[in-house]
Amino acid sequence: MATSTQPQPILFIGGLGRSGTTLIEKLLNELPHTQSVGETVHLWERGVRDQERCGCGQPFTTCEHWSAVGIEAFGSWANVDLDRVTDLRWKVDRSRMLPQIFRSLRSGNPTAEQREYLDFLRPVLLASAKVGGQQPDGGPKVILDSSKHLSTAAILALDPELDVRVLHVLRDPRGVAHSWTKQITRPEAVADSAQDGVVSLMPTYKPSRTALRWVTDNLGFEALAKLGVASMQLRYEDFLADPSGSMTGVANFAGIEGDNLFSMIDGQKLTLSNPMHSVAGNPLRFGGDQITLRLDDAWKTDLGPKARATVTRITRPVLGHFGYRA
């Protein structure tokens, strides 16, 4: 487990959802140097409270990894004041609280509620690293937190016991907007799936809302980097153009060294073997061991001209800044 002289390495995968973050997390999880935990921002409600399925396919309460984490971190998940930690999550880890979080980062002095929330979250991350075992060189595994939320990344960066590095993933906003209009089933929702005729779906958003979030979230992650939080940008399109080179760059950024780290990338087809003990996230985390890497650019034909024009108009001021064309 990390100590005060060796902060626990965290690779926070951030950016607006539907940008390819789960695919990148899935590849990184194949390394013996890493341990995926999924979206810890949703741990308390979707995992501990609702007992939704872990990425390994087991309900949270029976997942071997998360059961061991609960014992290591708190003695038992039953010892967690779930009402209090949920209340804290909605008080401190929200986009509207970013000005306060950024002030805390500048001053180096978290608020009392920020500290209290970290006192719940930190033990989970440290325990996940311990339960997951060590890196090949004997050091603590790099925890992969794919919460994506800017506020979560900023909150974690307040903790001196965590070495937080942010992988800021971007995708063409028209592709993101198109993806958020699709109806996608949530296979992790155990209770809902058990009811006849009831299917739990991920939320959908209008293209205009997604476009606004694309602008604010991506500029926000750049602001976080300016506050001194180690950050690396990776465009979804660049990643799929050079998967091996991109992932090697990410591994180096995360402090993971070694030869042929991504030898599993053979052309565009992958064979994966490590289960993902991830809470919440894209259903891709439940996928089988065969993955084909290919660019999803269906938005170019399937996103209606009106929606496409709306997204382009809203994001135009920063499209070029992030390397995209209007």
Side-chain angles (χ1 to χ4, degrees):
M1 186 175 291
T3 68
S4 59
T5 58
Q6 184 185 21
Q8 169 62 47
I10 307 289
L11 181 63
F12 186 93
I13 304 174
L16 192 57
R18 312 294 177 88
S19 296
T21 53
T22 303
L23 178 56
I24 292 170
E25 178 189 16
K26 202 171 180 72
L27 294 182
L28 289 169
N29 186 64
E30 285 296 295
L31 299 178
H33 313 69
T34 63
Q35 176 66 56
S36 172
V37 295
E39 302 181 4
T40 58
V41 67
H42 299 303
L43 169 71
W44 314 108
E45 293 170 287
R46 298 186 187 180
V48 182
R49 186 190 69 189
D50 297 341
Q51 297 297 316
E52 291 188 348
R53 295 188 191 278
C54 168
C56 69
Q58 293 296 315
F60 185 87
T61 188
T62 58
C63 169
E64 183 177 336
H65 174 82
W66 287 111
S67 296
V69 168
I71 293 171
E72 178 66 30
F74 306 109
S76 167
W77 289 112
N79 293 331
V80 175
D81 186 339
L82 192 54
D83 289 338
R84 179 55 181 165
V85 69
T86 302
D87 182 56
L88 283 168
R89 177 265 189 263
W90 287 106
K91 280 185 176 180
V92 305
D93 189 356
R94 307 191 69 176
S95 295
R96 69 182 64 175
M97 300 305 297
L98 280 168
Q100 184 183 77
I101 303 172
F102 280 14
R103 284 196 297 270
S104 296
L105 279 170
R106 291 190 187 96
S107 68
N109 186 27
T111 67
E113 288 186 330
Q114 289 167 349
R115 291 177 186 274
E116 186 181 0
Y117 183 57
L118 283 168
D119 285 343
F120 281 104
L121 192 52
R122 181 194 318 105
V124 172
L125 297 172
L126 298 182
S128 291
K130 183 173 183 179
V131 169
Q134 295 180 322
Q135 290 194 38
D137 64 2
K141 285 198 172 185
V142 176
I143 292 295
L144 306 175
D145 188 321
S146 58
S147 292
K148 292 185 276 293
H149 293 204
L150 173 60
S151 57
T152 307
I155 283 286
L156 291 175
L158 288 170
D159 197 319
E161 293 188 46
L162 306 176
D163 174 12
V164 178
R165 305 182 189 189
V166 175
L167 177 63
H168 173 198
V169 182
L170 303 98
R171 182 187 178 189
D172 190 299
R174 288 146 299 202
V176 179
H178 175 246
S179 184
W180 277 112
T181 64
K182 298 178 181 178
Q183 286 195 333
I184 299 176
T185 301
R186 296 181 64 243
E188 65 267 38
V190 179
D192 286 343
S193 63
Q195 300 177 33
D196 293 340
V198 176
V199 177
S200 180
L201 299 173
M202 298 183 74
T204 58
Y205 298 118
K206 294 181 179 179
S208 57
R209 181 188 187 278
T210 301
L212 287 169
R213 282 290 307 274
W214 191 90
V215 172
T216 57
D217 280 27
N218 288 318
L219 289 178
F221 274 105
E222 286 199 335
L224 186 63
K226 291 177 181 177
L227 288 173
V229 178
S231 301
M232 172 185 175
Q233 279 190 5
L234 177 63
R235 299 197 318 164
Y236 166 78
E237 296 82 4
D238 296 335
F239 154 60
L240 287 176
D242 181 15
S244 181
S246 296
M247 298 307 294
T248 298
V250 171
N252 290 336
F253 167 71
I256 300 172
E257 299 180 358
D259 296 329
N260 300 318
L261 288 177
F262 288 94
S263 58
M264 90 285 282
I265 297 182
D266 179 14
Q268 299 296 300
K269 294 184 179 180
L270 307 178
T271 299
L272 307 181
S273 58
N274 289 345
M276 288 184 67
H277 292 294
S278 56
V279 176
N282 192 290
L284 176 65
R285 63 200 177 95
F286 292 103
D289 59 0
Q290 296 292 327
I291 289 183
T292 299
L293 294 180
R294 61 177 180 271
L295 179 66
D296 178 5
D297 57 359
W299 63 269
K300 292 183 177 180
T301 55
D302 295 350
L303 185 64
K306 182 178 179 180
R308 181 169 176 169
T310 296
V311 175
T312 301
R313 174 177 53 81
I314 293 173
T315 60
R316 187 185 300 274
V318 295
L319 272 179
H321 174 72
F322 290 115
Y324 294 103
R325 293 184 178 182

